[in-house]
């Protein structure tokens, strides 16, 4: 009865259509189910990581060891900063043993992405600045410039001073243009990059067109869609479509859970939404899991965002108990 009263209150406060309200209720139920499976998903993830170690131990070929370690780094990048960084160091060591400058630079890109995911933006940029991408294939160049772009964008958001904000935003857009050029042979990657560019240019309607193209693409992975749904939430908010933004962010949180992504903030944003709905029980659960994720990955900037919302949600829960 309590949840039903809260749902009715939400409809009155935010004027959701019956269809949108039903969609949101349904998606939140799906998210709750996915959260109940966290232990199972985590066990499956650890088994997959263990398999990489077995494969690594079964080969004496440095080239194969490099490729296996690279796959493990990719699997860890949004899961655990400490473990991902340790594997990235091993990847760089193998690349140097091979005497292959392309592989050394490839390992540095992965290292930079790991720093970026942990909120270590200057460290990420320092690593990227040691790379000469001229020897990269177009695919690797696209990845390099996309990583540089995100680093510059995140740095831009970290500065309140307009001159610094604009400086890093311009650098990010320049890098993004380069990534788009080199992603010509990867249509799905290119669509995602184009959508990101429109968002950074404050063109939400154009950005949403690319989002829908990515969403309908048959090769769009769950991991990619977690990112795309999150971006769509921002774009919908930019044009005042709050209901659609909420739906997109919940979809992003669901995809994060299914891919055992610990470096993510969608669930924390869902916690804020359901707090606004008056569903303090759900918001408390979501924010606690969000903090657990931030601690697990060890992302300091994520911890700050969670701790900023946590007192507000706890206060709402206490009011409910009075």
């Amino acid at each position: 009865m309590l949840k039903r009263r809260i749902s009715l209150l939400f409809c009155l406060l935010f004027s959701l259509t019956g269809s949108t309200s039903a969609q949101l209720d349904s998606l939140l139920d799906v998210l709750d189910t996915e959260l109940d499976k966290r232990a199972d998903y985590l066990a499956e993830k650890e088994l997959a990581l263990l398999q990489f170690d077995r494969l690594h131990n079964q080969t004496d070929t440095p080239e194969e060891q490099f490729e296996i370690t690279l796959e493990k780094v990719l699997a860890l990048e949004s899961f655990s900063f400490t473990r991902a960084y340790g594997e990235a160091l091993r990847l760089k060591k193998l690349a140097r043993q091979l005497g292959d400058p392309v592989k050394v630079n490839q390992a540095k890109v992965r290292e930079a992405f790991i720093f970026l995911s942990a909120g270590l933006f200057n460290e990420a940029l320092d690593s990227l600045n040691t790379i000469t991408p001229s020897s990269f294939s177009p695919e690797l160049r696209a990845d390099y410039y996309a990583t540089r772009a995100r680093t510059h964008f995140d740095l831009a958001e970290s500065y309140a001073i307009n001159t610094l904000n604009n400086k890093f935003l311009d650098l990010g857009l320049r890098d993004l243009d380069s990534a788009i050029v080199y992603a010509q042979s990867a249509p799905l990657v290119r669509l995602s990059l184009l959508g990101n560019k429109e968002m950074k240019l404050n063109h939400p309607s154009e950005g949403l067109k690319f989002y829908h193209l990515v969403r309908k693409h048959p090769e769009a992975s769950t991991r990619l869609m977690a990112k795309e749904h999150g971006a769509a939430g921002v774009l919908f908010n930019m044009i005042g479509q709050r209901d659609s933004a909420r739906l997109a962010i919940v979809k992003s949180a669901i995809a994060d859970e299914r891919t055992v992504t610990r470096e993510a903030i969608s669930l924390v944003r869902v916690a804020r939404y359901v707090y606004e709905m008056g569903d303090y029980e759900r918001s408390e659960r979501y924010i606690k899991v969000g903090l657990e994720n931030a601690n697990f990955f060890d992302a300091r900037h994520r911890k700050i965002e969670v701790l900023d919302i946590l007192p507000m949600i706890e206060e709402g829960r206490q009011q409910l108990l009075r």
Side-chain angles (χ1 to χ4, degrees):
M1 286 298 294
L2 176 60
K3 287 186 178 180
R4 184 168 296 277
R5 288 198 300 272
I6 289 169
S7 180
L8 289 171
L9 174 63
F10 174 56
C11 292
L12 290 171
L13 290 174
F14 295 95
S15 301
L16 287 176
T17 65
S19 174
T20 304
S21 179
Q23 288 181 62
L24 185 59
D25 285 343
S26 178
L27 283 174
L28 289 173
D29 286 341
V30 172
L31 178 56
D32 288 339
T33 300
E34 294 304 312
L35 290 173
D36 289 339
K37 299 177 183 176
R38 278 173 68 81
D40 293 335
Y41 285 143
L42 181 60
E44 290 173 7
K45 180 79 171 182
E46 293 292 357
L47 281 175
L49 293 170
L50 185 60
Q51 182 62 19
F52 287 124
D53 293 335
R54 288 172 179 159
L55 290 172
H56 187 277
N57 293 334
Q58 288 170 4
T59 178
D60 296 324
T61 308
E63 289 84 357
E64 290 183 3
Q65 289 178 344
F66 179 88
E67 295 302 325
I68 293 166
T69 305
L70 176 59
E71 288 298 314
K72 188 176 181 184
V73 169
L74 292 169
L76 285 166
E77 281 180 343
S78 297
F79 179 65
S80 168
F81 167 69
T82 304
R83 292 166 68 179
Y85 182 58
E87 291 297 326
L89 292 178
R90 181 157 70 155
L91 191 67
K92 285 201 297 184
K93 182 178 179 180
L94 285 167
R96 292 188 177 113
Q97 288 175 356
L98 288 166
D100 188 332
V102 173
K103 284 184 168 55
V104 171
N105 285 331
Q106 190 177 5
K108 288 180 180 180
V109 173
R110 302 277 40 94
E111 177 185 61
F113 187 89
I114 293 162
F115 281 141
L116 180 58
S117 297
L120 303 173
F121 308 137
N122 287 308
E123 289 82 351
L125 198 58
D126 288 344
S127 186
L128 290 167
N129 285 339
T130 66
I131 297 170
T132 304
S134 56
S135 58
F136 277 174
S137 66
E139 180 184 3
L140 289 177
R141 284 200 196 192
D143 185 37
Y144 166 77
Y145 282 111
T147 305
R148 273 185 68 97
R150 183 182 156 188
T151 304
H152 282 133
F153 290 143
D154 284 353
L155 275 168
E157 291 179 5
S158 71
Y159 289 110
I161 302 171
N162 285 337
T163 52
L164 288 173
N165 182 283
N166 292 333
K167 170 191 171 182
F168 286 110
L169 180 61
D170 289 343
L171 288 170
L173 287 168
R174 197 180 308 167
D175 287 330
L176 200 51
D177 282 335
S178 296
I180 290 166
V181 168
Y182 289 114
Q184 295 291 338
S185 61
L188 182 58
V189 172
R190 189 168 181 272
L191 286 173
S192 179
L193 293 171
L194 286 166
N196 191 21
K197 180 181 177 181
E198 297 298 342
M199 181 170 66
K200 296 304 179 183
L201 290 171
N202 291 317
H203 299 158
S205 296
E206 293 303 313
L208 286 168
K209 289 178 183 177
F210 287 111
Y211 161 68
H212 290 303
L213 289 173
V214 172
R215 184 171 58 84
K216 294 174 183 177
H217 199 287
E219 295 179 11
S221 66
T222 305
R223 180 68 240 132
L224 174 62
M225 288 315 302
K227 180 173 75 74
E228 293 296 317
H229 289 316
V234 175
L235 293 166
F236 280 124
N237 271 323
M238 289 169 70
I239 57 176
Q241 293 188 15
R242 308 300 182 201
D243 301 342
S244 295
R246 292 185 179 96
L247 293 172
I249 293 296
V250 176
K251 290 177 183 177
S252 178
I254 291 169
D256 283 335
E257 286 305 311
R258 288 175 175 167
T259 54
V260 202
T261 298
R262 295 295 184 255
E263 189 285 308
I265 204 64
S266 291
L267 185 63
V268 177
R269 291 171 183 163
V270 176
R272 184 186 287 273
Y273 289 156
V274 296
Y275 170 82
E276 293 169 353
M277 292 164 55
D279 192 341
Y280 302 130
E281 184 179 336
R282 254 183 176 146
S283 64
E284 183 185 27
R285 182 189 188 192
Y286 294 168
I287 201 68
K288 284 184 175 178
V289 174
L291 182 58
E292 180 185 317
N293 286 344
N295 285 328
F296 188 98
F297 185 79
D298 198 19
R300 63 183 184 182
H301 62 312
R302 299 306 189 205
K303 292 178 188 178
I304 291 170
E305 185 164 352
V306 174
L307 293 173
D308 184 52
I309 301 172
L310 188 59
M312 175 183 70
I313 291 175
E314 178 59 23
E315 181 182 351
R317 188 182 73 87
Q318 291 299 326
Q319 288 177 356
L320 184 65
L321 294 173
R322 288 170 190 165

